[in-house]
C-alpha cells in the first residue's frame, strides 16, 4: 500500500462522516422549515433554498472537523446543485488523486444519500450534490458527484 492509500485509509470514514454531517446540518437548518414541494416545484425556489442552506452552514466555516479535515465552505448552484468543499490537511494533492478518492468513497456516499430519509428532499428536488476535496497544498484532489439518477440504479 502506497503513501496515498495509507493516508486515505487513515482518514477514511472521517471524510465520509464530515460530508454526511454537513448534509444533516443543511437539512435540519433550512430544509425542514420550508413548505412541502410538489412535482411542479419551481427551480428558482429550489436554488433560493439551497442558497439559504449554504449561507447557514457557512456561518460556522471554516471549521476543523477532525484531525486532518477542515470544512472550508459550501456553495449553492449553479442551478439545482450544492457543493461542499473540504481540505485534507494531512494529504497533499501530489499524494492522492481523484480516482483514488472516488474508488474509496463514491459507493458509500451514494448509498447514504440514496437511502437516508434525511436526504429525501434533496432526492425529490433532484439536487446534484458535489463533494470537493483539496490537499494541504490548497490544490484540487477530486470531486464526488451524486445525483438522484444514481439512486435509481
Amino acid at each position: 500500500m502506497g503513501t496515498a492509500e495509507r493516508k486515505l485509509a487513515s482518514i477514511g470514514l472521517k471524510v465520509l462522516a464530515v460530508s454526511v454531517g454537513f448534509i444533516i446540518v443543511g437539512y435540519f437548518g433550512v430544509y425542514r422549515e420550508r413548505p412541502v414541494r410538489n412535482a411542479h416545484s419551481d427551480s428558482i425556489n429550489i436554488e433560493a433554498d439551497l442558497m439559504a442552506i449554504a449561507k447557514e452552514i457557512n456561518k460556522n466555516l471554516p471549521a476543523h472537523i477532525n484531525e486532518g479535515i477542515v470544512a472550508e465552505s459550501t456553495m449553492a448552484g449553479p442551478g439545482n446543485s450544492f457543493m461542499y468543499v473540504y481540505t485534507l490537511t494531512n494529504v497533499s494533492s501530489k499524494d492522492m488523486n481523484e480516482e483514488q478518492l472516488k474508488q474509496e468513497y463514491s459507493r458509500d456516499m451514494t448509498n447514504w444519500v440514496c437511502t437516508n430519509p434525511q436526504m429525501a428532499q434533496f432526492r425529490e428536488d433532484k439536487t446534484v450534490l458535489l463533494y470537493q476535496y483539496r490537499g494541504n497544498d490548497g490544490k484540487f484532489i477530486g470531486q464526488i458527484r451524486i445525483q438522484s439518477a444514481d439512486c435509481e440504479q
Side-chain angles (χ1 to χ4, degrees):
M1 181 182 287
T3 303
E5 289 84 4
R6 280 194 300 275
K7 288 181 180 180
L8 187 57
S10 73
I11 60 170
L13 292 177
K14 294 177 185 176
V15 174
L16 180 58
V18 169
S19 297
V20 169
F22 276 100
I23 291 170
I24 292 170
V25 168
Y27 175 82
F28 284 113
V30 178
Y31 258 29
R32 69 185 171 117
E33 297 174 6
R34 71 181 202 172
V36 175
R37 294 189 177 280
N38 61 38
H40 305 294
S41 295
D42 182 57
S43 64
I44 294 172
N45 290 334
I46 292 171
E47 190 168 356
D49 289 344
L50 295 174
M51 288 168 50
I53 292 170
K55 182 179 178 181
E56 192 64 31
I57 293 172
N58 286 337
K59 288 179 182 178
N60 297 309
L61 300 179
H64 289 270
I65 303 304
N66 264 311
E67 182 179 334
I69 303 173
V70 174
E72 300 290 351
S73 64
T74 62
M75 293 176 258
N80 189 12
S81 65
F82 194 83
M83 179 185 291
Y84 299 89
V85 180
Y86 303 103
T87 296
L88 304 176
T89 60
N90 295 330
V91 180
S92 168
S93 64
K94 295 174 186 173
D95 294 330
M96 184 184 302
N97 64 42
E98 186 166 26
E99 186 60 32
Q100 291 168 313
L101 187 72
K102 287 180 178 182
Q103 283 180 342
E104 190 70 27
Y105 300 109
S106 287
R107 186 181 343 202
D108 290 340
M109 290 176 70
T110 300
N111 183 57
W112 191 87
V113 168
C114 293
T115 60
N116 194 303
Q118 296 170 335
M119 298 303 294
Q121 193 66 56
F122 285 111
R123 292 189 306 265
E124 289 170 20
D125 288 345
K126 300 190 183 314
T127 300
V128 175
L129 300 171
L130 305 167
Y131 302 89
Q132 187 178 97
Y133 299 90
R134 298 178 183 163
N136 58 10
D137 54 2
K139 295 182 180 177
F140 178 81
I141 291 175
Q143 178 172 285
I144 296 173
R145 176 187 173 105
I146 302 173
Q147 51 194 3
S148 61
D150 296 331
C151 298
E152 299 165 6
Q153 298 176 3

